[in-house]
Amino acid sequence: MINQDGGSGRRELVLVGEMSPADVVLVHREALRVLRSGIDAAHLDAYSDDAWPAAVLHSYERALSLAREAVADGHRSRRADPGMGIDIDVRTTGSSS
């Protein structure tokens, strides 16, 4: 994992290397479990060059749903790409995602 400091006060965590889809799911869940108490919001780009693992398809669909809800309530531009820049308040999102 590489920790990069972003210019806007955000920290970007990027997984690198050859990992199986199951390992990617486990690492992401564990990282969220460890970091969750210090995170207010996550900024998600829902596109991937690879297929999303079956274990996270529900979470992927939920993220896209959050983007649609943000458009409906006026917090997100209708012209915004629905899969890019999805803001998630991790304090209110269920931990099963």
Side-chain angles (χ1 to χ4, degrees), residues 15-36:
L15 293 175
V16 294
E18 298 296 322
M19 298 177 73
S20 72
D23 287 340
V24 170
V25 170
L26 290 173
V27 168
H28 277 89
R29 284 197 174 144
E30 183 63 14
L32 181 57
R33 186 189 68 74
V34 169
L35 299 171
R36 191 172 196 152

Side-chain angles (χ1 to χ4, degrees), residues 10-94:
R10 295 181 183 184
R11 290 183 12 184
E12 182 176 338
L13 299 173
V14 181
L15 293 175
V16 294
E18 298 296 322
M19 298 177 73
S20 72
D23 287 340
V24 170
V25 170
L26 290 173
V27 168
H28 277 89
R29 284 197 174 144
E30 183 63 14
L32 181 57
R33 186 189 68 74
V34 169
L35 299 171
R36 191 172 196 152
S37 66
I39 298 173
D40 295 326
H43 188 75
L44 173 73
D45 292 335
Y47 297 127
S48 174
D49 292 337
D50 298 317
W52 287 96
V56 299
L57 285 178
H58 172 76
S59 297
Y60 169 76
E61 291 297 331
R62 179 66 182 129
L64 294 177
S65 175
L66 288 170
R68 288 189 295 272
E69 290 171 17
V71 168
D73 66 17
H75 288 103
R76 184 178 174 91
S77 168
R78 292 190 184 282
R79 289 186 259 177
D81 186 322
M84 297 295 288
I86 302 167
D87 290 321
I88 301 169
D89 182 342
V90 300
R91 297 168 299 176
T92 60
T93 304

